[in-house]
Amino acid sequence: MPAPARPFHLYNTLARRKEELKPLAPPEVTIYSCGPTVYRYAHVGNLRTYLFADLLCRTLEYLGYRTRQVMNITDVGHLTEDDVDRGEDKMLVSARLEQKRPEEIAAHYTAAFRDDIARVNIRPAAAFPHATEYIPRMLEIIERLVERGHAYAVENGNVYYRISSFPAYGKLSRNSLDRLLTGSRGEPDPRKENPGDFTLWKHAGDRRLQAWDSRWGRGFPGWHIECSAMSTALLGERFDIHTGGADNVFPHHEAEIAQSEGAFGHRVVGYWMHGDHLLLAGTRMAKSAGNFFRITELADQGHDPLAFRYLALQARYRTKLNFSPEALTGADRALRQLRERVAEWSASEAPAAGAPEAAARFAERFTTAIADDLDLPSAMALVSELLRSDLPAAERARLLLDFDRVLGLDLGREAGQTLPPGAAELLQRRERARAERDFAASDRLRDELAAAGVVVTDTPEGQRWRVTAPGPD
Ligand code: AMP
Ligand code: ZN
């Protein structure tokens, strides 16, 4: 029988305090993570939020849980209330500017997203549902909300959530009702019962490219309903953890609670976790403001993409983190040195009688740090302490490789080796397959990697890889 999972404490935005995780069906933990909108490239700020969710999954697995993570791909709209009122849809604006169909835009940016997360060792979720494939499910939930008095249609075919029907509206963001009401700028639809009522379904004009038939006529979904539909379709009407960025708390997650609980009549999400923002020169990195970097740009400047991951590990996920090229250069150097040490120490003889107790204490402290709401800065301080410790070299290397199951810094990578295109994603899929004990998939992925010139070996610390064939460059 496997050892029971270790306790994990997490800060629950809804409870406003740290709580011990009590999964619904241990050792499995079900996780829904708000994912990308695929009408533009992700920037490293977005990646910080996905990285936090990845660190959560890796930590839980390190502690002995199994994770099932779902991350949505928003390939329709991403309509905030403002956009709805202005009748502008970013997906369609991109389609117009790039002279492509919305599906082509979405496919292009979805593929770019998958490549980008692989570059920073964010393992793919078990499922990446596309919003456009869940329209019937969204309509089903909207109909339920109408039946239960939580939503109403107006004469042109728009359907709104009636926030006055859900007394707990505002409990996540602690927004007072009058602030909730002023949440939407622009000219509100005068047919709304209440200016704070948010859009569930929006009537489509004649020229709209993405629209679906419904009992209220042709239209398309609001952004928030997408996540209620996909989370409950894939994880059930109750699941453990929901993650997102700090800006998702209101209105997105506040609305999701009102929708999901309104439709199903009970609590759906056990714990809400939010990662804070990445800043550039003191302001939030944002697509719209144009102050952002893509991970590929940083790589083109000569940085190891994982240096960004190293940098992100220096701050707790709930604090803001300032990004700067200088800090990234420092992270690059530190990461390279760390890998060199591991390579050197791995080659040394394993001690006959090592220092098992001292090593166990390090492992214990590492576990304690990450189990405390993902305290990765403390875990990284421990890595530094381990580097300077007098543990036998082979023991230090072994511990670092073990910690790397969570850190994901490729500490076992041989110097100078780079993966051929696509191999990083295959490695991550294989790692996940192994974590899920899907050995058939893991073997198949090993063959695919071998065909791409990457030999994988499994060690107690996880898979290690070596490039055998020279890459295309
Ligand atoms: P978007 O594609 O704009 O919906 O953003 C995708 C995810 O990235 C959301 O969960 C946001 O909360 C998150 N996000 C956006 N900007 C930042 C930032 N500067 N730092 C961290 N996360 C961000
Ligand atoms: Zn969402």
Side-chain angles (χ1 to χ4, degrees), residues 203-264:
H203 148 85
D206 303 336
R207 300 199 344 268
R208 191 169 162 106
L209 292 169
Q210 283 180 301
W212 291 264
D213 288 322
S214 80
R215 61 192 283 183
W216 304 285
R218 268 182 94 64
F220 56 95
W223 171 36
H224 316 312
I225 195 68
E226 301 185 2
C227 286
S228 284
M230 290 185 273
S231 62
T232 57
L234 289 157
L235 295 174
E237 288 181 16
R238 296 175 202 267
F239 59 92
D240 294 311
I241 305 178
H242 197 310
T243 73
D247 57 303
N248 291 147
V249 174
F250 183 81
H252 188 48
H253 292 162
E254 195 72 69
E256 187 177 327
I257 292 175
Q259 294 163 165
S260 300
E261 296 190 4
F264 300 112

Side-chain angles (χ1 to χ4, degrees), residues 427-446:
L427 279 170
Q428 282 162 32
R429 275 169 45 200
R430 184 166 183 275
E431 195 174 311
R432 180 161 293 272
R434 273 165 49 83
E436 289 167 358
R437 299 193 165 65
D438 182 351
F439 297 112
S442 142
D443 288 348
R444 190 165 29 75
L445 288 161
R446 182 207 297 273

Side-chain angles (χ1 to χ4, degrees), residues 33-50 74 78 90 113 223 243-249 252-253 274-280 283-288 291-292 321:
S33 300
C34 280
T37 49
V38 284
Y39 58 86
R40 272 193 230 175
Y41 293 113
H43 53 67
V44 291
N46 302 131
L47 292 188
R48 186 187 181 204
T49 291
Y50 310 135
T74 297
H78 186 226
K90 289 163 182 163
F113 162 75
W223 171 36
T243 73
D247 57 303
N248 291 147
V249 174
H252 188 48
H253 292 162
H274 294 96
D276 211 334
H277 288 144
L278 187 71
L279 313 179
L280 188 63
T283 44
R284 175 181 154 196
M285 199 176 273
K287 284 176 187 172
S288 50
N291 63 333
F292 63 85
L321 171 63

